[in-house]
Amino acid sequence: MEPESAPFLLIFREESASAVYKAMSPEQRQQLLQQWNDWCNILTAQGKLQQGRPLAPGGWIVSSAAGHVVDGPFVETKEAIGGFFLLTVAGLDEAVEIAKQCPSLRFGLTIEVRGVAGTCPSLHAQEQVEPLLVNA
């Protein structure tokens, strides 16, 4: 019997990686892109990679505290999210092992591995769960 699968999100955070990428020759960038494509193709063929996308540069910050919308994210931030993968895997251990295979880890990329909740946990905050009573 196969283990049940669960969704996990890999969030790619570029801290120092962007500077490293800019210093690469066009050939080195092409090789790295090919490594990423190979990695994606393997995960897709295994049925583990459901979706993955880089994020476009720039964007906006919406803040109710500030009361307005401003351009962002800002270059001076410590880290920028460069993209994501949505995986369907057996569990956290497998998601972490997949993250460790990322070709850009050696260039300073960090990856946040997060489980995806079935529903918003705050929707259930008001619900009271009856304790399970077990007779000995």
Side-chain angles (χ1 to χ4, degrees), residues 82-106:
F84 71 93
F85 277 4
L86 178 61
L87 303 175
T88 301
V89 295
L92 178 61
D93 291 341
E94 186 176 11
V96 168
E97 286 305 313
I98 289 171
K100 287 179 181 179
Q101 298 167 13
C102 177
S104 291
L105 283 176
R106 67 183 186 266

Side-chain angles (χ1 to χ4, degrees), residues 26-102:
E27 294 81 18
Q28 290 171 318
R29 282 195 297 275
Q30 185 60 40
Q31 286 177 340
L32 182 59
L33 178 61
Q34 186 59 53
Q35 291 169 356
W36 271 87
N37 288 338
D38 293 345
W39 186 44
C40 292
N41 290 338
I42 289 168
L43 293 172
T44 301
Q46 293 172 345
K48 295 177 183 183
L49 178 58
Q50 303 308 312
Q51 191 175 79
R53 300 283 175 135
L55 299 181
W60 295 265
I61 304 295
V62 177
S63 170
S64 63
H68 60 281
V69 176
V70 296
D71 290 338
F74 302 103
V75 175
E76 61 268 17
T77 60
K78 182 179 177 188
E79 56 188 35
I81 297 174
F84 71 93
F85 277 4
L86 178 61
L87 303 175
T88 301
V89 295
L92 178 61
D93 291 341
E94 186 176 11
V96 168
E97 286 305 313
I98 289 171
K100 287 179 181 179
Q101 298 167 13
C102 177

Side-chain angles (χ1 to χ4, degrees), residues 2 10-11 46 64 74 82 117 122:
E2 289 187 33
L10 302 185
I11 303 168
Q46 293 172 345
S64 63
F74 302 103
S122 64

Side-chain angles (χ1 to χ4, degrees), residues 5-34:
S5 58
F8 281 84
L9 194 62
L10 302 185
I11 303 168
F12 302 107
R13 296 185 178 276
E14 298 178 342
E15 295 170 15
S16 60
S18 293
V20 173
Y21 298 150
K22 289 177 186 175
M24 289 180 168
S25 70
E27 294 81 18
Q28 290 171 318
R29 282 195 297 275
Q30 185 60 40
Q31 286 177 340
L32 182 59
L33 178 61
Q34 186 59 53

